[in-house]
Amino acid sequence: MNRALRRPDAVLVQAVIAGALSFAHLHDLAAAAGQSGWKAWAYPISVDLLLVAAWRRLRVGRDGASWTWFTIALAASLGANVATAGLLDLDHVPAWLRILVAGWPALAFLGGTLLVHTPAPATAAEAPSAEPELAVPEVKLHRTDTAPVPAPASAPAELDPAPVKPPAPVPTVPAALVDHARSIADNHRKTTGEPITADALTARLGLPAPTCQAIAAQLELT
């Protein structure tokens, strides 16, 4: 770090040289215009201060006033450098130059006041930064005090159909027994005038029910 401080900066050295020469040229021009003594040394300070104030204002915000006063101060400095380079007879300074040098203090005071006390223009539209909305995670609430919902009852299983019982075998009735039953039915019709019923025939025959039903079916009795 100490080595860096000891090493001379070329830009800084150049700035010191340029400032000293410009300072001397402004002093010589002011002295030639009739400003003697300390007044001749005050003119270079006034020009350089206005130039620095305009430059600092340009760094904050580049508005028209900053450029105007920077151009005026730069023209005064460059004009003094050029005038003292042999283009102007310093022993016979024209009247208009004497007027400019005499009016410079008031002009420099006006420019410095405007540069310092005028609010700097906004570099960008300063909109109030809206705070980003924080995404609120969705929270699902589950109640534990409610009764559990019963599961839907499953459909009853289809029952297998009951096996169909085979019809009881019709007993074989002998033909003689059928003829005997027919004669009983005929006698009953002759006696009562009405056909005999199956129950009455069963009671008269005294046979098992399946056999009597088979006989009644053959005789078409009800």
Side-chain angles (χ1 to χ4, degrees):
M1 181 176 180
N2 294 332
R3 183 180 300 177
L5 292 177
R6 293 175 184 175
R7 185 177 58 186
D9 189 353
V11 177
L12 181 60
V13 173
Q14 183 69 20
V16 172
I17 295 174
L21 293 175
S22 178
F23 195 89
H25 293 160
L26 285 169
H27 170 268
D28 296 342
L29 183 62
Q35 307 296 328
S36 60
W38 64 270
K39 294 182 291 183
W41 293 106
Y43 274 88
I45 298 176
S46 175
V47 173
D48 290 343
L49 286 180
L50 182 61
L51 189 63
V52 172
W55 172 248
R56 293 189 61 181
R57 180 64 177 266
L58 286 174
R59 295 183 61 184
V60 176
R62 298 187 177 185
D63 56 343
S66 301
W67 280 112
T68 300
W69 292 110
F70 181 80
T71 304
I72 292 174
L74 185 61
S77 179
L78 290 177
N81 294 333
V82 174
T84 56
L87 300 179
L88 182 66
D89 187 5
L90 297 181
D91 295 333
H92 301 85
V93 178
W96 61 267
L97 183 58
R98 292 177 181 271
I99 295 175
L100 289 179
V101 172
W104 175 258
L107 184 64
F109 177 76
L110 175 63
T113 303
L114 293 177
L115 289 174
V116 173
H117 296 285
T118 302
T123 56
E126 299 179 357
S129 57
E131 297 182 357
E133 298 182 359
L134 299 179
V136 180
E138 183 180 357
V139 180
K140 295 183 179 180
L141 301 179
H142 299 279
R143 297 185 59 182
T144 58
D145 56 345
T146 58
V149 179
S154 59
E158 296 182 359
L159 300 178
D160 296 335
V164 180
K165 294 182 179 181
V170 179
T172 304
V173 181
L177 187 55
V178 175
D179 295 338
H180 176 64
R182 183 177 287 109
S183 62
I184 294 175
D186 292 341
N187 293 331
H188 185 273
R189 180 183 295 274
K190 292 177 180 180
T191 303
T192 62
E194 294 179 358
I196 191 172
T197 61
D199 294 337
L201 180 60
T202 301
R204 292 285 298 271
L205 292 175
L207 297 173
T211 303
C212 294
Q213 292 177 359
I215 295 173
Q218 292 185 15
L219 299 179
E220 299 179 358
L221 300 179
T222 59

mmCIF file of all heavy atoms in Angstrom, residues 158-196:
data_model
loop_
_atom_site.group_PDB
_atom_site.id
_atom_site.type_symbol
_atom_site.label_atom_id
_atom_site.label_comp_id
_atom_site.label_asym_id
_atom_site.label_seq_id
_atom_site.Cartn_x
_atom_site.Cartn_y
_atom_site.Cartn_z
ATOM 1 N N GLU A 158 -74.969 -61.717 -5.169
ATOM 2 C CA GLU A 158 -76.113 -62.420 -5.760
ATOM 3 C C GLU A 158 -76.100 -63.890 -5.323
ATOM 4 O O GLU A 158 -75.063 -64.565 -5.374
ATOM 5 C CB GLU A 158 -76.019 -62.335 -7.283
ATOM 6 C CG GLU A 158 -76.139 -60.907 -7.813
ATOM 7 C CD GLU A 158 -76.100 -60.878 -9.318
ATOM 8 O OE1 GLU A 158 -75.963 -61.972 -9.900
ATOM 9 O OE2 GLU A 158 -76.217 -59.783 -9.904
ATOM 10 N N LEU A 159 -77.284 -64.295 -4.846
ATOM 11 C CA LEU A 159 -77.419 -65.673 -4.375
ATOM 12 C C LEU A 159 -77.626 -66.601 -5.568
ATOM 13 O O LEU A 159 -78.315 -66.263 -6.534
ATOM 14 C CB LEU A 159 -78.607 -65.792 -3.407
ATOM 15 C CG LEU A 159 -78.509 -64.920 -2.133
ATOM 16 C CD1 LEU A 159 -79.772 -65.091 -1.294
ATOM 17 C CD2 LEU A 159 -77.269 -65.311 -1.318
ATOM 18 N N ASP A 160 -77.022 -67.703 -5.464
ATOM 19 C CA ASP A 160 -77.202 -68.703 -6.520
ATOM 20 C C ASP A 160 -78.635 -69.232 -6.485
ATOM 21 O O ASP A 160 -79.192 -69.473 -5.404
ATOM 22 C CB ASP A 160 -76.226 -69.874 -6.338
ATOM 23 C CG ASP A 160 -74.789 -69.410 -6.485
ATOM 24 O OD1 ASP A 160 -74.561 -68.376 -7.165
ATOM 25 O OD2 ASP A 160 -73.886 -70.058 -5.906
ATOM 26 N N PRO A 161 -79.247 -69.314 -7.617
ATOM 27 C CA PRO A 161 -80.638 -69.836 -7.615
ATOM 28 C C PRO A 161 -80.703 -71.278 -7.071
ATOM 29 O O PRO A 161 -79.786 -72.077 -7.272
ATOM 30 C CB PRO A 161 -81.047 -69.799 -9.099
ATOM 31 C CG PRO A 161 -79.736 -69.828 -9.835
ATOM 32 C CD PRO A 161 -78.758 -69.095 -8.976
ATOM 33 N N ALA A 162 -81.785 -71.502 -6.336
ATOM 34 C CA ALA A 162 -81.957 -72.844 -5.758
ATOM 35 C C ALA A 162 -82.134 -73.878 -6.862
ATOM 36 O O ALA A 162 -82.769 -73.600 -7.885
ATOM 37 C CB ALA A 162 -83.172 -72.856 -4.832
ATOM 38 N N PRO A 163 -81.565 -75.003 -6.687
ATOM 39 C CA PRO A 163 -81.705 -76.037 -7.732
ATOM 40 C C PRO A 163 -83.169 -76.458 -7.891
ATOM 41 O O PRO A 163 -83.908 -76.582 -6.920
ATOM 42 C CB PRO A 163 -80.853 -77.189 -7.211
ATOM 43 C CG PRO A 163 -80.742 -76.956 -5.738
ATOM 44 C CD PRO A 163 -80.775 -75.480 -5.538
ATOM 45 N N VAL A 164 -83.551 -76.552 -9.117
ATOM 46 C CA VAL A 164 -84.942 -76.931 -9.416
ATOM 47 C C VAL A 164 -85.109 -78.427 -9.150
ATOM 48 O O VAL A 164 -84.347 -79.247 -9.670
ATOM 49 C CB VAL A 164 -85.291 -76.603 -10.879
ATOM 50 C CG1 VAL A 164 -86.731 -76.999 -11.193
ATOM 51 C CG2 VAL A 164 -85.067 -75.105 -11.132
ATOM 52 N N LYS A 165 -86.095 -78.666 -8.306
ATOM 53 C CA LYS A 165 -86.349 -80.082 -7.986
ATOM 54 C C LYS A 165 -87.004 -80.771 -9.186
ATOM 55 O O LYS A 165 -87.915 -80.207 -9.786
ATOM 56 C CB LYS A 165 -87.275 -80.209 -6.772
ATOM 57 C CG LYS A 165 -86.630 -79.683 -5.497
ATOM 58 C CD LYS A 165 -87.585 -79.883 -4.325
ATOM 59 C CE LYS A 165 -86.964 -79.397 -3.021
ATOM 60 N NZ LYS A 165 -87.876 -79.612 -1.846
ATOM 61 N N PRO A 166 -86.544 -81.884 -9.507
ATOM 62 C CA PRO A 166 -87.177 -82.607 -10.637
ATOM 63 C C PRO A 166 -88.599 -83.033 -10.269
ATOM 64 O O PRO A 166 -88.892 -83.311 -9.109
ATOM 65 C CB PRO A 166 -86.259 -83.820 -10.833
ATOM 66 C CG PRO A 166 -85.597 -84.028 -9.515
ATOM 67 C CD PRO A 166 -85.445 -82.668 -8.903
ATOM 68 N N PRO A 167 -89.498 -82.957 -11.220
ATOM 69 C CA PRO A 167 -90.888 -83.344 -10.916
ATOM 70 C C PRO A 167 -90.976 -84.802 -10.451
ATOM 71 O O PRO A 167 -90.207 -85.653 -10.903
ATOM 72 C CB PRO A 167 -91.612 -83.131 -12.243
ATOM 73 C CG PRO A 167 -90.538 -83.206 -13.269
ATOM 74 C CD PRO A 167 -89.300 -82.669 -12.633
ATOM 75 N N ALA A 168 -91.869 -84.960 -9.501
ATOM 76 C CA ALA A 168 -92.038 -86.333 -8.953
ATOM 77 C C ALA A 168 -92.532 -87.274 -10.061
ATOM 78 O O ALA A 168 -93.364 -86.885 -10.886
ATOM 79 C CB ALA A 168 -93.061 -86.316 -7.811
ATOM 80 N N PRO A 169 -91.986 -88.390 -10.086
ATOM 81 C CA PRO A 169 -92.392 -89.323 -11.159
ATOM 82 C C PRO A 169 -93.885 -89.721 -11.013
ATOM 83 O O PRO A 169 -94.368 -89.940 -9.902
ATOM 84 C CB PRO A 169 -91.468 -90.520 -10.931
ATOM 85 C CG PRO A 169 -91.034 -90.424 -9.502
ATOM 86 C CD PRO A 169 -90.990 -88.988 -9.162
ATOM 87 N N VAL A 170 -94.550 -89.642 -12.134
ATOM 88 C CA VAL A 170 -95.992 -90.026 -12.126
ATOM 89 C C VAL A 170 -96.089 -91.562 -12.023
ATOM 90 O O VAL A 170 -95.504 -92.270 -12.850
ATOM 91 C CB VAL A 170 -96.678 -89.525 -13.402
ATOM 92 C CG1 VAL A 170 -98.164 -89.949 -13.401
ATOM 93 C CG2 VAL A 170 -96.528 -88.014 -13.517
ATOM 94 N N PRO A 171 -96.797 -92.018 -10.992
ATOM 95 C CA PRO A 171 -96.893 -93.493 -10.849
ATOM 96 C C PRO A 171 -97.689 -94.125 -12.008
ATOM 97 O O PRO A 171 -98.602 -93.508 -12.549
ATOM 98 C CB PRO A 171 -97.618 -93.664 -9.519
ATOM 99 C CG PRO A 171 -98.359 -92.378 -9.312
ATOM 100 C CD PRO A 171 -97.543 -91.312 -9.949
ATOM 101 N N THR A 172 -97.256 -95.270 -12.341
ATOM 102 C CA THR A 172 -97.950 -96.013 -13.420
ATOM 103 C C THR A 172 -99.211 -96.684 -12.849
ATOM 104 O O THR A 172 -99.138 -97.397 -11.852
ATOM 105 C CB THR A 172 -97.023 -97.071 -14.011
ATOM 106 O OG1 THR A 172 -95.821 -96.415 -14.472
ATOM 107 C CG2 THR A 172 -97.699 -97.784 -15.171
ATOM 108 N N VAL A 173 -100.318 -96.322 -13.472
ATOM 109 C CA VAL A 173 -101.610 -96.863 -12.978
ATOM 110 C C VAL A 173 -102.052 -97.989 -13.916
ATOM 111 O O VAL A 173 -102.141 -97.773 -15.132
ATOM 112 C CB VAL A 173 -102.678 -95.755 -12.914
ATOM 113 C CG1 VAL A 173 -103.985 -96.327 -12.379
ATOM 114 C CG2 VAL A 173 -102.180 -94.583 -12.055
ATOM 115 N N PRO A 174 -102.347 -99.135 -13.378
ATOM 116 C CA PRO A 174 -102.829 -100.220 -14.254
ATOM 117 C C PRO A 174 -104.157 -99.855 -14.910
ATOM 118 O O PRO A 174 -104.951 -99.083 -14.371
ATOM 119 C CB PRO A 174 -102.979 -101.410 -13.295
ATOM 120 C CG PRO A 174 -102.116 -101.067 -12.109
ATOM 121 C CD PRO A 174 -102.150 -99.599 -11.976
ATOM 122 N N ALA A 175 -104.359 -100.410 -16.059
ATOM 123 C CA ALA A 175 -105.592 -100.102 -16.808
ATOM 124 C C ALA A 175 -106.851 -100.608 -16.079
ATOM 125 O O ALA A 175 -107.903 -99.958 -16.117
ATOM 126 C CB ALA A 175 -105.515 -100.746 -18.189
ATOM 127 N N ALA A 176 -106.716 -101.682 -15.370
ATOM 128 C CA ALA A 176 -107.895 -102.206 -14.647
ATOM 129 C C ALA A 176 -108.298 -101.258 -13.548
ATOM 130 O O ALA A 176 -109.502 -101.041 -13.289
ATOM 131 C CB ALA A 176 -107.548 -103.580 -14.063
ATOM 132 N N LEU A 177 -107.274 -100.629 -12.899
ATOM 133 C CA LEU A 177 -107.608 -99.688 -11.823
ATOM 134 C C LEU A 177 -108.247 -98.436 -12.391
ATOM 135 O O LEU A 177 -109.157 -97.853 -11.784
ATOM 136 C CB LEU A 177 -106.316 -99.345 -11.050
ATOM 137 C CG LEU A 177 -106.488 -98.501 -9.782
ATOM 138 C CD1 LEU A 177 -107.472 -99.155 -8.806
ATOM 139 C CD2 LEU A 177 -105.137 -98.254 -9.118
ATOM 140 N N VAL A 178 -107.821 -98.059 -13.578
ATOM 141 C CA VAL A 178 -108.421 -96.883 -14.210
ATOM 142 C C VAL A 178 -109.886 -97.185 -14.577
ATOM 143 O O VAL A 178 -110.769 -96.338 -14.404
ATOM 144 C CB VAL A 178 -107.620 -96.473 -15.443
ATOM 145 C CG1 VAL A 178 -108.291 -95.322 -16.186
ATOM 146 C CG2 VAL A 178 -106.214 -96.055 -15.037
ATOM 147 N N ASP A 179 -110.135 -98.404 -15.086
ATOM 148 C CA ASP A 179 -111.511 -98.765 -15.430
ATOM 149 C C ASP A 179 -112.401 -98.810 -14.196
ATOM 150 O O ASP A 179 -113.571 -98.398 -14.239
ATOM 151 C CB ASP A 179 -111.527 -100.132 -16.135
ATOM 152 C CG ASP A 179 -110.814 -100.091 -17.489
ATOM 153 O OD1 ASP A 179 -110.689 -98.943 -18.055
ATOM 154 O OD2 ASP A 179 -110.355 -101.134 -17.961
ATOM 155 N N HIS A 180 -111.840 -99.298 -13.086
ATOM 156 C CA HIS A 180 -112.606 -99.351 -11.847
ATOM 157 C C HIS A 180 -112.968 -97.947 -11.379
ATOM 158 O O HIS A 180 -114.112 -97.679 -10.939
ATOM 159 C CB HIS A 180 -111.798 -100.091 -10.772
ATOM 160 C CG HIS A 180 -112.456 -100.107 -9.445
ATOM 161 N ND1 HIS A 180 -113.677 -100.757 -9.217
ATOM 162 C CD2 HIS A 180 -112.102 -99.557 -8.237
ATOM 163 C CE1 HIS A 180 -114.036 -100.608 -7.959
ATOM 164 N NE2 HIS A 180 -113.068 -99.866 -7.325
ATOM 165 N N ALA A 181 -112.023 -97.044 -11.481
ATOM 166 C CA ALA A 181 -112.306 -95.671 -11.057
ATOM 167 C C ALA A 181 -113.323 -95.019 -11.985
ATOM 168 O O ALA A 181 -114.171 -94.224 -11.558
ATOM 169 C CB ALA A 181 -110.999 -94.874 -11.055
ATOM 170 N N ARG A 182 -113.269 -95.355 -13.297
ATOM 171 C CA ARG A 182 -114.226 -94.779 -14.220
ATOM 172 C C ARG A 182 -115.655 -95.268 -13.912
ATOM 173 O O ARG A 182 -116.614 -94.501 -14.015
ATOM 174 C CB ARG A 182 -113.828 -95.135 -15.645
ATOM 175 C CG ARG A 182 -114.764 -94.491 -16.672
ATOM 176 C CD ARG A 182 -114.315 -94.794 -18.093
ATOM 177 N NE ARG A 182 -113.094 -94.031 -18.444
ATOM 178 C CZ ARG A 182 -111.890 -94.588 -18.585
ATOM 179 N NH1 ARG A 182 -111.727 -95.902 -18.421
ATOM 180 N NH2 ARG A 182 -110.835 -93.840 -18.884
ATOM 181 N N SER A 183 -115.732 -96.515 -13.522
ATOM 182 C CA SER A 183 -117.084 -97.033 -13.199
ATOM 183 C C SER A 183 -117.632 -96.360 -11.947
ATOM 184 O O SER A 183 -118.843 -96.093 -11.863
ATOM 185 C CB SER A 183 -116.998 -98.570 -12.995
ATOM 186 O OG SER A 183 -116.154 -98.890 -11.920
ATOM 187 N N ILE A 184 -116.732 -96.088 -10.998
ATOM 188 C CA ILE A 184 -117.196 -95.372 -9.781
ATOM 189 C C ILE A 184 -117.680 -93.976 -10.157
ATOM 190 O O ILE A 184 -118.697 -93.486 -9.649
ATOM 191 C CB ILE A 184 -116.060 -95.315 -8.741
ATOM 192 C CG1 ILE A 184 -115.733 -96.725 -8.229
ATOM 193 C CG2 ILE A 184 -116.433 -94.394 -7.593
ATOM 194 C CD1 ILE A 184 -114.539 -96.773 -7.300
ATOM 195 N N ALA A 185 -116.948 -93.333 -11.050
ATOM 196 C CA ALA A 185 -117.362 -91.988 -11.456
ATOM 197 C C ALA A 185 -118.682 -92.018 -12.208
ATOM 198 O O ALA A 185 -119.527 -91.129 -12.027
ATOM 199 C CB ALA A 185 -116.253 -91.382 -12.320
ATOM 200 N N ASP A 186 -118.882 -93.027 -13.051
ATOM 201 C CA ASP A 186 -120.130 -93.112 -13.797
ATOM 202 C C ASP A 186 -121.301 -93.349 -12.853
ATOM 203 O O ASP A 186 -122.389 -92.756 -13.027
ATOM 204 C CB ASP A 186 -120.043 -94.236 -14.832
ATOM 205 C CG ASP A 186 -119.037 -93.900 -15.939
ATOM 206 O OD1 ASP A 186 -118.702 -92.673 -16.103
ATOM 207 O OD2 ASP A 186 -118.548 -94.819 -16.629
ATOM 208 N N ASN A 187 -121.162 -94.248 -11.905
ATOM 209 C CA ASN A 187 -122.245 -94.514 -10.945
ATOM 210 C C ASN A 187 -122.569 -93.238 -10.136
ATOM 211 O O ASN A 187 -123.746 -92.973 -9.830
ATOM 212 C CB ASN A 187 -121.846 -95.654 -10.002
ATOM 213 C CG ASN A 187 -121.732 -96.993 -10.743
ATOM 214 O OD1 ASN A 187 -122.434 -97.216 -11.760
ATOM 215 N ND2 ASN A 187 -120.882 -97.895 -10.257
ATOM 216 N N HIS A 188 -121.521 -92.507 -9.803
ATOM 217 C CA HIS A 188 -121.772 -91.282 -9.042
ATOM 218 C C HIS A 188 -122.545 -90.258 -9.872
ATOM 219 O O HIS A 188 -123.438 -89.559 -9.372
ATOM 220 C CB HIS A 188 -120.429 -90.675 -8.574
ATOM 221 C CG HIS A 188 -120.607 -89.488 -7.677
ATOM 222 N ND1 HIS A 188 -120.751 -88.185 -8.156
ATOM 223 C CD2 HIS A 188 -120.701 -89.383 -6.315
ATOM 224 C CE1 HIS A 188 -120.887 -87.359 -7.155
ATOM 225 N NE2 HIS A 188 -120.864 -88.073 -5.990
ATOM 226 N N ARG A 189 -122.241 -90.180 -11.159
ATOM 227 C CA ARG A 189 -122.965 -89.243 -12.024
ATOM 228 C C ARG A 189 -124.444 -89.687 -12.183
ATOM 229 O O ARG A 189 -125.338 -88.837 -12.188
ATOM 230 C CB ARG A 189 -122.287 -89.181 -13.393
ATOM 231 C CG ARG A 189 -122.960 -88.225 -14.374
ATOM 232 C CD ARG A 189 -122.264 -88.296 -15.718
ATOM 233 N NE ARG A 189 -120.882 -87.823 -15.649
ATOM 234 C CZ ARG A 189 -120.513 -86.551 -15.760
ATOM 235 N NH1 ARG A 189 -121.425 -85.618 -15.953
ATOM 236 N NH2 ARG A 189 -119.242 -86.222 -15.675
ATOM 237 N N LYS A 190 -124.651 -91.002 -12.309
ATOM 238 C CA LYS A 190 -126.032 -91.491 -12.468
ATOM 239 C C LYS A 190 -126.826 -91.271 -11.197
ATOM 240 O O LYS A 190 -128.030 -91.006 -11.258
ATOM 241 C CB LYS A 190 -126.038 -92.986 -12.814
ATOM 242 C CG LYS A 190 -125.472 -93.279 -14.214
ATOM 243 C CD LYS A 190 -125.442 -94.771 -14.473
ATOM 244 C CE LYS A 190 -124.881 -95.109 -15.841
ATOM 245 N NZ LYS A 190 -124.839 -96.580 -16.126
ATOM 246 N N THR A 191 -126.177 -91.424 -10.098
ATOM 247 C CA THR A 191 -126.913 -91.323 -8.821
ATOM 248 C C THR A 191 -127.207 -89.876 -8.476
ATOM 249 O O THR A 191 -128.326 -89.504 -8.105
ATOM 250 C CB THR A 191 -126.101 -91.976 -7.690
ATOM 251 O OG1 THR A 191 -125.817 -93.330 -8.035
ATOM 252 C CG2 THR A 191 -126.861 -91.931 -6.372
ATOM 253 N N THR A 192 -126.143 -89.006 -8.582
ATOM 254 C CA THR A 192 -126.291 -87.610 -8.125
ATOM 255 C C THR A 192 -126.572 -86.655 -9.267
ATOM 256 O O THR A 192 -126.995 -85.518 -9.068
ATOM 257 C CB THR A 192 -125.019 -87.166 -7.380
ATOM 258 O OG1 THR A 192 -123.902 -87.230 -8.302
ATOM 259 C CG2 THR A 192 -124.762 -88.076 -6.188
ATOM 260 N N GLY A 193 -126.262 -87.071 -10.486
ATOM 261 C CA GLY A 193 -126.431 -86.158 -11.622
ATOM 262 C C GLY A 193 -125.282 -85.187 -11.775
ATOM 263 O O GLY A 193 -125.349 -84.290 -12.619
ATOM 264 N N GLU A 194 -124.237 -85.339 -10.967
ATOM 265 C CA GLU A 194 -123.071 -84.445 -11.036
ATOM 266 C C GLU A 194 -121.821 -85.290 -11.145
ATOM 267 O O GLU A 194 -121.757 -86.413 -10.629
ATOM 268 C CB GLU A 194 -122.992 -83.566 -9.783
ATOM 269 C CG GLU A 194 -124.170 -82.575 -9.665
ATOM 270 C CD GLU A 194 -124.063 -81.740 -8.395
ATOM 271 O OE1 GLU A 194 -123.094 -81.977 -7.625
ATOM 272 O OE2 GLU A 194 -124.898 -80.843 -8.200
ATOM 273 N N PRO A 195 -120.783 -84.787 -11.804
ATOM 274 C CA PRO A 195 -119.533 -85.551 -11.888
ATOM 275 C C PRO A 195 -118.851 -85.639 -10.528
ATOM 276 O O PRO A 195 -118.979 -84.749 -9.683
ATOM 277 C CB PRO A 195 -118.709 -84.769 -12.895
ATOM 278 C CG PRO A 195 -119.247 -83.374 -12.818
ATOM 279 C CD PRO A 195 -120.701 -83.488 -12.519
ATOM 280 N N ILE A 196 -118.159 -86.719 -10.270
ATOM 281 C CA ILE A 196 -117.475 -86.912 -9.023
ATOM 282 C C ILE A 196 -116.213 -86.049 -8.995
ATOM 283 O O ILE A 196 -115.564 -85.816 -10.025
ATOM 284 C CB ILE A 196 -117.136 -88.407 -8.818
ATOM 285 C CG1 ILE A 196 -116.666 -88.639 -7.366
ATOM 286 C CG2 ILE A 196 -116.099 -88.887 -9.814
ATOM 287 C CD1 ILE A 196 -116.499 -90.128 -7.044
#
